[in-house]
Amino acid sequence: MADAPQVTTASGIEVHDKPAVHSSLSDVSREKYTLDGIDDGEAGDDIYSQANPARPGFTKSDQKDMWRMGRVQEFKRNYRPLSALSFATVLTAVWEYLLMANTQGLIDGGLAGLFWAYVWNFIGFSFVVLSLAEMASMAPISGGQYQWVSEFAPPRFQKFLSYVTGWMSTLSWQAGNASGSFLTGTIVQALLVVNYPDYTPQAWQGTLFVFAMVLILFLVNIWGAPLWALIQNGLMVLHILFFLVVIIVLWVMAPHQSAKAVFTGFSNEGGWNSMGLSLMVGQITAIYSLLGSDATAHIAEEVRDAGRYVPISIFWSYVANGIMAIIFLITYLFSIDSVDNALADPTGYPFIYVFRTAMSDQGVTALTIIVLIIVIAANISWNASTARQTFAFARDNGLPFSRWISHVNASKELPVNSIILTCTITCLLSLINIGSSTAFNAIISVQVVSIMLTYCISMCCVLYRRIAHPELLPKARWSLGRFGVPVNSIGIVYVTFIFFWSFWPNTIPVTLQNFNWSVVLFVGTLIIALIMYVFQGRHVYNGPVAIIRAARVE
């Protein structure tokens, strides 16, 4: 199909007068779904409805949003408002991740350091979440950050910034997907240590357990996708019930520290020159547990009335999980009778040491399994969001082999190839575990730095648009209003601060064993993205803004 003529709006956004709808449909289907010559307004909506056969939960607002962004509805909208909120709540699973991945926070900061790091990061990250929720309301589409950058960036930087943001977002979501599977796989291995004292865990065996977890994600996300949307509410109930079970067990059965030790007992096991420096390095635990709030944005094309309920899901899941997590964290920290003993536990997981001080090995196994159930469920949802984000970027020709990655299976109405690719990348990243005992730290660090970069770029772009051309911001049904400028500004300062600290190693002196390899993964991916842009991307990638039909002032 020939490129449509471009028109430059008052904001400098280049748009097609006749949008070329990018999808994985056949050439014949693309001609069928091209909306040439259609005027905006109700007539356009009616013809758009004819070009896009009705799907479950497809509302008038969804039609208008997809029409404005020049997209064909290719997925079923299986997620209703409550299930979308449940999806976001279970996926982020803040208290569960805080329980399972707190080693670095205990090493660099101790009991009090872990608590206060969580508090200030919860407050700081809330400004990012507010910004993401508003942008998700303006453009409720699977692309997320790179879509928003494309729409809001200064015209001459739109293509390049959107392209880099897409690559960094893909890297972050893929790394996050790998970190979740890494956790669950190696915790299963840790349970073998608990139940079979003579068992000596090997790194390659842990990697095989990760592969087993990936197989579960693959099967559920391809053959169980319709059912998965239906059981989200039940999973959220389990998420809350298991939270109550864990904290009640720890309240009643675990030994307890003093309040002074929990709230003022800082420690520096990482060898840093000062306690302040140690706290900055150790806050990666709190940051990691809070990530994932934008997950619902990446399944926006499967959410009913997405422009309203995606931002609601993003914000309220963050608030609910944040409150649950702080209650859990206080309980957990009071239950650690010795930080040194917890860090030295043969399983490698401090929480298992805490469980063992409260109950028998059988009880430890049972309590760990119920937590694993929710984390595996979170991993399945994370895999789904990751695949959608990767699919969306490929749909805009942002990745190598984009046509294959962005293919949508006609019978399942799912991006099956993107799911396969996502699972393959997780398996490849898990191989790092065989050569380095600090593989998990590297994976979560690269997840944090890459996602923080995408947040920073997208918030900078919407702040620019808000200040320079406020009349051209898309209408948001969930808006920050007059608080937009300060909220975006504080969010930018926060993510820049976190970006800097996320590259640091866990301990010093730095060796090959404890080096934070995230810098290698991050810089390597960034270099590949820049090379791809020079030789391919700038020729084939136009960014989502190129197919937006028109920028209208409501």
Side-chain angles (χ1 to χ4, degrees), residues 69-91:
M69 294 181 287
R71 295 297 184 188
V72 169
Q73 182 69 37
E74 297 185 77
F75 303 140
K76 292 180 180 178
R77 291 190 180 262
N78 291 318
Y79 290 91
R80 293 182 177 274
L82 182 58
S83 61
L85 175 63
S86 299
F87 175 91
T89 304
V90 173
L91 182 146

Side-chain angles (χ1 to χ4, degrees), residues 55-385:
R55 307 219 189 262
F58 193 73
T59 69
K60 193 75 168 179
S61 294
D62 294 324
Q63 286 180 319
K64 291 180 69 175
D65 286 333
M66 295 296 283
W67 164 239
R68 185 189 73 81
M69 294 181 287
R71 295 297 184 188
V72 169
Q73 182 69 37
E74 297 185 77
F75 303 140
K76 292 180 180 178
R77 291 190 180 262
N78 291 318
Y79 290 91
R80 293 182 177 274
L82 182 58
S83 61
L85 175 63
S86 299
F87 175 91
T89 304
V90 173
L91 182 146
T92 46
V94 179
W95 76 263
E96 290 94 339
Y97 284 118
L98 203 53
L99 169 70
M100 292 184 168
N102 55 70
T103 300
Q104 191 161 344
L106 290 176
I107 291 174
D108 296 308
L111 301 179
L114 183 55
F115 173 76
W116 292 112
Y118 175 80
V119 171
W120 78 59
N121 278 285
F122 176 70
I123 295 171
F125 197 62
S126 65
F127 293 94
V128 180
V129 170
L130 287 167
S131 300
L132 295 175
E134 184 188 45
M135 288 186 283
S137 183
M138 292 176 180
I141 196 166
S142 297
Q145 288 93 306
Y146 86 88
Q147 168 87 27
W148 306 330
V149 169
S150 182
E151 289 203 38
F152 306 140
R156 61 176 177 166
F157 300 121
Q158 284 167 348
K159 180 190 292 190
F160 175 73
L161 287 179
S162 175
Y163 189 83
V164 171
T165 301
W167 270 82
M168 290 298 104
S169 183
T170 301
L171 173 63
S172 177
W173 278 94
Q174 294 292 346
N177 192 62
S179 71
S181 296
F182 185 95
L183 266 181
T184 52
T186 53
I187 287 173
V188 170
Q189 189 179 28
L191 288 179
L192 294 177
V193 176
V194 171
N195 290 279
Y196 302 96
D198 294 333
Y199 170 68
T200 302
Q202 302 294 322
W204 65 269
Q205 295 170 341
T207 298
L208 290 180
F209 281 117
V210 175
F211 288 174
M213 291 298 122
V214 173
L215 179 61
I216 294 173
L217 308 187
F218 174 76
L219 294 175
V220 173
N221 274 310
I222 290 184
W223 284 280
L227 176 63
W228 194 245
L230 296 176
I231 66 173
Q232 291 302 310
N233 296 340
L235 289 172
M236 184 165 71
V237 171
L238 291 180
H239 170 66
I240 297 170
L241 288 178
F242 291 167
F243 161 77
L244 294 174
V245 169
V246 170
I247 64 172
I248 289 172
V249 167
L250 295 181
W251 282 345
V252 174
M253 303 178 68
H256 293 141
Q257 282 276 13
S258 67
K260 181 179 180 180
V262 170
F263 298 116
T264 64
F266 297 93
S267 61
N268 178 8
E269 302 292 335
W272 298 101
N273 297 330
S274 68
M275 185 60 68
L277 190 56
S278 180
L279 289 174
M280 293 300 99
V281 175
Q283 66 182 327
I284 191 73
T285 289
I287 300 163
Y288 173 68
S289 68
L290 293 168
L291 292 181
S293 298
D294 55 322
T296 319
H298 297 300
I299 62 159
E301 295 174 45
E302 298 167 65
V303 176
R304 176 187 175 91
D305 205 1
R308 180 179 181 185
Y309 291 109
V310 166
I312 287 175
S313 299
I314 290 173
F315 178 74
W316 286 110
S317 65
Y318 181 77
V319 172
N321 269 331
I323 294 172
M324 290 172 64
I326 200 165
I327 295 171
F328 158 76
L329 185 59
I330 292 172
T331 302
Y332 177 71
L333 295 176
F334 267 96
S335 302
I336 302 177
D337 61 0
S338 170
V339 172
D340 290 337
N341 290 342
L343 291 172
D345 190 83
T347 64
Y349 286 98
F351 82 91
I352 292 183
Y353 167 82
V354 174
F355 285 177
R356 294 178 83 171
T357 63
M359 63 188 79
S360 66
D361 288 348
Q362 291 78 10
V364 171
T365 301
L367 201 59
T368 302
I369 287 174
I370 69 169
V371 178
L372 275 175
I373 290 172
I374 298 301
V375 176
I376 291 172
N379 290 347
I380 293 171
S381 295
W382 194 290
N383 182 274
S385 285

